[in-house]
């Protein structure tokens, strides 16, 4: 360094990893190529030359008819996959007419009560031609059954359905807190969907192991990395315990990471994730199939990084975050809209977010070369550092489980270990943001212009709730109550027998037009309900 | 940051409705605690009736509701009405995502303060203090 004075900022990554002023050849990187074990540099040799990432925009609001229109619009504009956002009642396994759902129907996503709604949601869309992602967790098996029933009713058999169910219940207890049943029966439901997909849905990913929500809840990058991979190992162990071979389970898992603002730290995180997954699967779990070792992931830009002040700046933040995902080798990407601290996005804001990906993919030429930052001394050093920090955390989970990552994940949830670690990190970051050590443009500095009028936001018509309740009432009226009763009785009986796969009973219930609330109620009557003790 | 002096007041912070995103409510609870308030957290998935009962039983001075899901118009006014029906002079502060067009309705329902995204710790504390000052 020359004699110029240090300007005195905090020289760490956003997650608190100290960084040097410059890096040199003592960090050369491992020298492997993309498509080669341990896949640090990418799961495939050719990366984006053979296939660009999937531009998968998460969408859902109001009634299934409203969202169907948005889906068709996104596909017409060059979106290449669908991603369903369900409303809170659906995510929490409740029907739209449940008193606890007052004011929540169709607000944060689309309301789905029965297979009839699933039919409306995908009307006119060829589900054999696009891939569909469904963000649903506690009631995931129920919604998968409804999706399959609706698709088959419209002429697409289950073996042609491609897509992803989020179905990552562990991170719900740890971070997002949309849980219904206790961890152990919930893990059985996950195993049932994995076995069902392995046997009958060759193009389906039944679990998307999600660090996104862990990071949004306030974790550091190293915690996101460790807890997500740890949850992935738990699902592998659960699948093996359910009688599948590790090479039947592992290729079925896909991953979902956050893209936050610390550009290089995020790229290092993705590279470390691929390498760690490959090593653990080969050495700890004895996986032999190449696809078991190749971690593939979806990325979403960080919702928490967006500001209500000067929301247009969010377009810039999102573009930089998206670029980190692309340089980190993501397989699909959702870019947030500039108005998402205020409401669900308007059509225009969602279009700009999609266009941001298209500019990156088509104009910047960054997709020409695989892992372009491989060999950067800084990025290689950060990759090593994040891996080391995440391995330390994984060792703690392993110790909690007495040598089982599945037990460690469940005990960590039951004891509130993950929850406390995430809340501590969230508060630590908040203090740095709040006192200006980590500046936020438009919030803690450069606030000129904040007095401008906020942009137009999407207004969810409260009539959607009423419409959806009417729709549900008419389905209830037209279905055969005896068939519904029999289907729910079967579901309850089979839930009590852990050896039975619940998917056939759920498919029968979906076909009988049983509701999400009825199916979850039947399961909860056997499994019980989960609640966490309030802790600060 | 406001330095710790003495316990300023008892605050109940609550997460109302089905939403489980608790980063915001926990961060606000911790920063109020660091600013000298005594903070009681209800935990997740509270109904308006549960919040009113907790505010009464815990004898708090102010209630803070965390609302991100868009259900604030359905869920916040019944808390204010429930407290009044019990004869309790406890102001209600809403924090989270509330579109500007909904502000008049919340004010009309008797919500004392609304804290939007991006509020600093000092702004949160100031809003709670203003709400406390409305007590008769």
């Amino acid at each position: 360094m020359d004699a110029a004075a240090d300007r005195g900022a905090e020289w760490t990554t956003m997650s608190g990893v100290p960084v040097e002023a410059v890096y040199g050849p003592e960090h050369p990187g491992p020298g492997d190529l993309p498509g080669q074990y341990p896949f640090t540099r990418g799961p495939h040799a050719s990366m984006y030359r053979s296939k660009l990432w999937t531009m998968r925009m998460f969408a859902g609001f109001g009634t299934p008819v409203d969202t169907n229109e948005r889906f068709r619009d996104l596909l017409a504009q060059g979106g290449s996959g669908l991603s369903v956002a369900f409303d809170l009642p659906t995510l929490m396994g409740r029907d739209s007419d449940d008193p606890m759902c007052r004011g929540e129907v169709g607000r944060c996503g689309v309301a789905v009560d029965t297979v009839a709604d699933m039919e409306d949601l995908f009307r006119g869309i060829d589900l054999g031609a696009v891939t569909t992602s469904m963000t649903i967790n506690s009631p995931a098996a129920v919604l998968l059954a409804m999706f399959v029933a609706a698709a088959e009713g419209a002429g697409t058999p289950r073996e042609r359905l491609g897509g992803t169910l989020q179905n990552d219940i562990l991170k719900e207890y740890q971070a997002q807190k949309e849980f219904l049943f206790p961890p152990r029966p919930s893990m059985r439901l996950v195993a049932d969907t994995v076995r069902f997909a392995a046997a009958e849905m060759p193009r389906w990913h039944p679990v998307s192991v999600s660090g996104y929500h862990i990071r949004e809840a306030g974790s550091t990058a190293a915690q996101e990395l460790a807890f997500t991979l740890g949850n992935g190992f738990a699902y592998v162990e659960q699948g093996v315990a359910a009688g599948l071979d590790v090479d039947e389970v592992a290729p079925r898992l896909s991953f979902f990471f956050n893209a936050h603002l610390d550009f290089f730290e995020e790229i290092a995180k993705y590279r470390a994730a691929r390498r760690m997954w490959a090593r653990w699967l080969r050495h700890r779990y004895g996986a032999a199939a190449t696809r078991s070792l190749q971690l593939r992931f979806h990325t979403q830009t960080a919702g928490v990084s967006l500001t209500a002040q000067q929301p247009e700046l969010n377009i810039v933040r999102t573009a930089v975050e998206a670029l980190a995902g692309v340089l980190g080798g993501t397989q699909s990407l959702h870019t947030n809209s500039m108005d998402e601290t205020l409401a669900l996005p308007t059509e225009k804001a969602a279009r700009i977010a999609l266009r941001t990906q298209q500019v990156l993919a088509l104009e910047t030429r960054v997709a020409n070369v695989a892992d372009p930052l491989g060999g950067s001394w800084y990025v290689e050093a950060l990759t090593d550092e994040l891996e080391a920090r995440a391995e330390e955390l994984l060792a703690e989970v392993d110790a909690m489980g007495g040598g089982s990552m599945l037990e460690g994940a469940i005990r960590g949830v039951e004891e509130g270990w993950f929850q406390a670690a995430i809340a501590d990190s969230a508060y630590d970051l908040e203090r740095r943001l709040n006192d200006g050590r980590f500046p936020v443009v438009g919030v803690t500095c450069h606030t000129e212009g904040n007095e401008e009028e906020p942009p137009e936001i999407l207004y969810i018509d409260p009539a959607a709730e009423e419409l959806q309740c009417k729709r549900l009432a008419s389905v209830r009226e037209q279905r055969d109550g005896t068939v519904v009763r029999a289907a729910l009785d079967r579901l309850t009986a089979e839930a009590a027998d852990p050896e039975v796969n619940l998917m056939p009973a759920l498919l029968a219930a979906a076909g009988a037009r049983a509701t999400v609330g009825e199916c979850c109620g039947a399961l909860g009557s056997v499994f019980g309900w989960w609640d966490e003790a309030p802790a600060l | 940051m406001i330095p710790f002096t003495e316990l300023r007041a008892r605050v109940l912070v609550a997460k109302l409705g089905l939403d489980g995103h608790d980063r915001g409510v926990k961060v606000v609870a911790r920063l109020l605690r660091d600013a000298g308030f005594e903070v009681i957290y209800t935990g997740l998935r509270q109904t308006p009736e549960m919040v009113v009962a907790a505010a009464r039983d815990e004898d708090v001075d102010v209630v803070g509701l965390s609302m991100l899901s868009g259900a604030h118009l359905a869920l916040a006014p019944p808390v204010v009405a429930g407290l009044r029906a019990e004869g309790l002079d406890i102001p209600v502060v809403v924090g989270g995502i509330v579109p500007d067009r909904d502000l008049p309705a919340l004010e009309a329902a008797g919500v004392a303060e609304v804290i939007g995204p991006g509020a600093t710790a000092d702004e949160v504390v100031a809003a709670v203090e203003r709400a406390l000052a409305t007590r008769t």
Side-chain angles (χ1 to χ4, degrees):
Chain A
M1 280 258 282
D2 57 33
D6 185 304
R7 68 184 160 86
E10 201 164 281
W11 304 120
T12 66
T13 65
M14 179 176 232
S15 298
V17 178
V19 295
E20 306 296 329
V22 68
Y23 284 77
E26 63 276 19
H27 303 285
D32 56 296
L33 290 170
Q36 286 180 1
Y37 181 87
F39 307 101
T40 312
R41 307 192 59 198
H44 312 297
S46 57
M47 289 302 288
Y48 300 136
R49 284 206 176 195
S50 50
K51 184 178 183 293
L52 275 174
W53 67 88
T54 303
M55 299 179 192
R56 192 185 294 285
M57 301 298 284
F58 188 43
F61 61 94
T63 67
V65 173
D66 296 329
T67 299
N68 176 262
E69 202 174 309
R70 177 69 69 93
F71 280 167
R72 292 193 201 205
D73 195 47
L74 282 166
L75 290 174
Q77 288 178 42
S80 42
L82 295 176
S83 178
V84 187
F86 293 103
D87 69 356
L88 271 169
T90 310
L91 294 172
M92 291 303 297
R94 289 170 183 266
D95 293 333
S96 297
D97 57 4
D98 184 320
M100 187 72 191
C101 302
R102 251 182 318 158
E104 311 257 28
V105 177
R107 284 265 166 201
C108 295
V110 61
V112 171
D113 292 308
T114 68
V115 70
D117 294 328
M118 209 55 111
E119 289 161 5
D120 285 350
L121 188 57
F122 296 108
R123 198 172 299 285
I125 296 169
D126 180 358
L127 290 174
V130 292
T131 55
T132 308
S133 167
M134 289 193 284
T135 297
I136 186 92
N137 293 283
S138 281
V142 178
L143 275 291
L144 175 62
M146 289 183 181
F147 177 73
V148 170
E152 293 193 332
T156 308
R158 60 190 73 169
E159 57 272 15
R160 284 187 57 225
L161 294 172
T164 306
L165 197 63
Q166 192 164 85
N167 202 20
D168 171 11
I169 194 63
L170 290 169
K171 65 92 174 60
E172 292 299 332
Y173 303 111
Q174 294 161 350
Q176 191 170 236
K177 313 289 174 78
E178 284 158 6
F179 40 67
L180 294 176
F181 318 120
R184 289 172 203 277
S186 290
M187 288 299 281
R188 178 252 181 121
L189 278 175
V190 174
D192 286 354
T193 58
V194 173
R195 284 195 291 166
F196 175 75
E200 304 193 36
M201 299 182 77
R203 299 181 60 223
W204 195 259
H205 290 288
V207 184
S208 165
V209 192
S210 302
Y212 185 79
H213 318 80
I214 294 171
R215 190 67 179 281
E216 288 288 297
S219 84
T220 64
Q223 286 170 331
E224 177 193 357
L225 177 60
F227 298 166
T228 309
L229 292 181
N231 292 345
F233 303 143
Y235 295 123
V236 168
E237 291 183 15
Q238 173 83 12
V240 170
L244 294 168
D245 187 84
V246 60
D247 285 319
E248 290 177 287
V249 186
R252 294 288 173 159
L253 303 179
S254 60
F255 287 79
F256 173 19
F257 289 110
N258 201 295
H260 218 304
L261 279 167
D262 191 321
F263 187 71
F264 294 108
E265 182 171 55
E266 295 303 280
I267 294 167
K269 179 184 75 185
Y270 309 127
R271 300 175 88 249
R274 279 191 295 263
R275 181 154 94 198
M276 292 169 69
W277 180 255
R279 287 179 179 157
W280 274 71
L281 263 288
R282 175 176 280 182
H283 297 301
R284 172 131 172 182
Y285 298 114
T290 304
R291 279 186 64 76
S292 298
L293 310 176
Q294 293 165 311
L295 179 144
R296 294 167 306 277
F297 69 100
H298 172 71
T299 302
Q300 180 170 338
T301 56
V304 291
S305 71
L306 307 183
T307 62
Q309 295 83 349
Q310 304 189 44
E312 295 85 352
L313 299 181
N314 295 330
I315 299 173
V316 182
R317 296 188 178 101
T318 297
V320 172
E321 293 164 352
L323 181 59
V326 168
L327 298 185
T330 194
Q331 278 60 61
S332 67
L333 182 60
H334 169 94
T335 31
N336 291 323
S337 302
M338 63 167 154
D339 53 359
E340 290 194 58
T341 55
L342 306 168
L344 295 195
T346 61
E347 206 167 311
K348 180 174 181 186
R351 188 171 64 234
I352 292 171
L354 174 60
R355 294 282 182 261
T356 302
Q357 295 197 39
Q358 291 163 339
V359 168
L360 287 177
L362 304 172
E363 296 184 15
T364 67
R365 314 198 78 72
V366 294
N368 280 355
V369 176
D371 190 35
L373 290 171
S376 147
W377 295 320
Y378 175 38
V379 170
E380 295 294 353
L382 257 187
T383 305
D384 292 346
E385 179 63 26
L386 282 175
E387 178 177 9
R389 287 177 180 233
E391 286 289 356
E392 275 176 34
L393 290 165
L394 285 168
E396 285 189 61
V397 177
D398 201 16
M400 270 192 290
S404 157
M405 295 303 288
L406 175 59
E407 277 303 311
I410 292 175
R411 286 204 191 132
V413 162
E414 289 171 344
E415 289 165 19
W417 182 83
F418 295 102
Q419 297 92 314
I422 293 167
D424 287 347
S425 296
Y427 194 50
D428 196 51
L429 178 60
E430 189 63 31
R431 281 184 301 188
R432 285 182 162 70
L433 294 169
N434 195 59
D435 66 18
R437 275 177 290 171
F438 288 1
V440 184
V441 174
V443 179
T444 57
C445 59
H446 306 300
T447 53
E448 306 79 9
N450 283 6
E451 62 288 349
E452 277 182 25
E453 282 293 299
E456 282 295 309
I457 60 170
L458 183 75
Y459 178 67
I460 308 282
D461 191 345
E465 181 159 326
E466 204 181 311
L467 267 175
Q468 185 61 23
C469 289
K470 275 190 192 150
R471 167 80 163 146
L472 175 56
S474 100
V475 173
R476 284 194 208 271
E477 202 174 295
Q478 285 166 26
R479 64 188 191 175
D480 183 337
T482 1
V483 179
V484 177
R485 194 63 262 156
L488 292 173
D489 288 345
R490 173 183 170 195
L491 184 58
T492 309
E494 295 189 0
D497 181 354
E499 299 301 313
V500 180
N501 189 326
L502 291 173
M503 282 307 297
L506 286 169
L507 281 161
R513 319 225 138 193
T515 66
V516 170
E518 288 162 348
C519 292
C520 290
L523 295 173
S525 72
V526 177
F527 295 160
W529 305 96
W530 179 254
D531 202 4
E532 69 164 23
L536 285 179
Chain B
M1 293 285 279
I2 293 180
F4 179 86
T5 46
E6 60 192 272
L7 284 181
R8 293 173 156 190
R10 275 166 79 81
V11 186
L12 181 78
V13 293
K15 187 78 191 153
L16 209 52
L18 294 176
D19 181 33
H21 292 87
D22 58 1
R23 177 182 185 160
V25 72
K26 286 189 172 187
V27 162
V28 166
R30 287 188 185 199
L31 73 84
L32 287 174
R33 201 166 58 186
D34 284 358
F37 292 89
E38 187 178 354
V39 180
I40 299 142
Y41 172 46
T42 59
L44 298 170
R45 313 231 150 75
Q46 303 293 299
T47 62
E49 296 74 23
M50 290 158 84
V51 174
V52 170
R56 180 192 61 220
D57 297 346
E58 296 284 354
D59 191 23
V60 298
D61 303 301
V62 57
V63 169
L65 304 176
S66 170
M67 301 283 330
L68 308 178
S69 71
H72 44 272
L73 287 182
L75 298 179
V79 174
V80 178
L83 290 169
R84 286 188 183 160
E86 297 255 353
L88 297 167
D89 183 19
I90 302 176
V92 172
V93 179
V94 171
I97 298 182
V98 176
D100 287 351
R101 67 182 286 163
D102 293 344
L103 293 176
L106 289 181
E107 194 183 341
V111 169
E113 291 282 334
V114 176
I115 304 169
T120 63
D122 290 350
E123 285 163 359
V124 171
V125 169
V128 171
E129 290 288 2
R130 277 197 305 276
L132 282 165
T134 64
R135 297 213 294 171
T136 48

